[in-house]
């Protein structure tokens, strides 16, 4: 359910951005919710937004049980550049990576 909320938020922000095609249509939508064993989904829109995500339960039944999510999204910015973010979200939080994102200094 959290994945759906994240997806809706990403699409809403992307579609609300200035200069983005407000008449975008969904070209592809795939979803496989296999319950406690995980889920997969992918979405592609006519204005160049692509999303994909997989989630699964790790360490089930243990004190360290957590949901691990891996995915990516891409879009074309107002500057005409294509941006891609790959991410992991797990017990360590949301960890995005992208060529356009700043990187924290090494300790």
């Amino acid at each position: 359910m959290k994945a759906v909320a994240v997806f809706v938020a990403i699409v809403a922000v992307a579609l609300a951005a200035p200069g983005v095609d407000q008449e975008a249509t969904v070209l592809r939508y795939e979803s496989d919710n296999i319950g406690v064993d995980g889920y997969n989904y992918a979405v592609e829109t006519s204005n160049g937004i692509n999303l994909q995500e997989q989630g699964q339960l790790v360490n089930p039944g243990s004190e360290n049980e957590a949901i691990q999510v891996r995915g990516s999204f891409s879009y074309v910015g107002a500057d005409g550049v294509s941006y891609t973010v790959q991410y992991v979200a797990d017990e360590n939080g949301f960890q995005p990576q992208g060529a356009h994102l700043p990187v924290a200094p090494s300790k």
Side-chain angles (χ1 to χ4, degrees):
M1 194 56 150
K2 289 181 185 178
V4 172
V6 170
F7 163 71
V8 170
I10 291 170
V11 171
V13 168
L15 293 177
V20 175
D21 180 6
Q22 297 295 316
E23 302 298 320
T25 58
V26 175
L27 302 175
R28 179 174 65 100
Y29 175 77
E30 298 173 10
S31 178
D32 185 18
N33 184 347
I34 47 181
V36 296
D37 291 327
Y39 67 90
N40 297 294
Y41 76 84
V43 178
E44 179 180 353
T45 64
S46 61
N47 61 347
I49 297 171
N50 289 287
L51 308 155
Q52 63 178 356
E53 185 174 286
Q54 309 85 40
Q56 66 181 12
L57 185 63
V58 294
N59 304 314
S62 77
E63 165 179 313
N64 297 322
E65 183 176 276
I67 296 175
Q68 183 179 68
V69 175
R70 294 184 179 279
S72 66
F73 60 90
S74 62
Y75 61 96
V76 177
D79 55 2
V81 175
S82 181
Y83 294 95
T84 299
V85 175
Q86 295 181 337
Y87 60 89
V88 172
D90 58 16
E91 64 274 8
N92 298 313
F94 181 68
Q95 304 151 56
Q97 293 183 330
H100 63 290
L101 298 177
V103 176
S106 300
K107 292 182 180 182

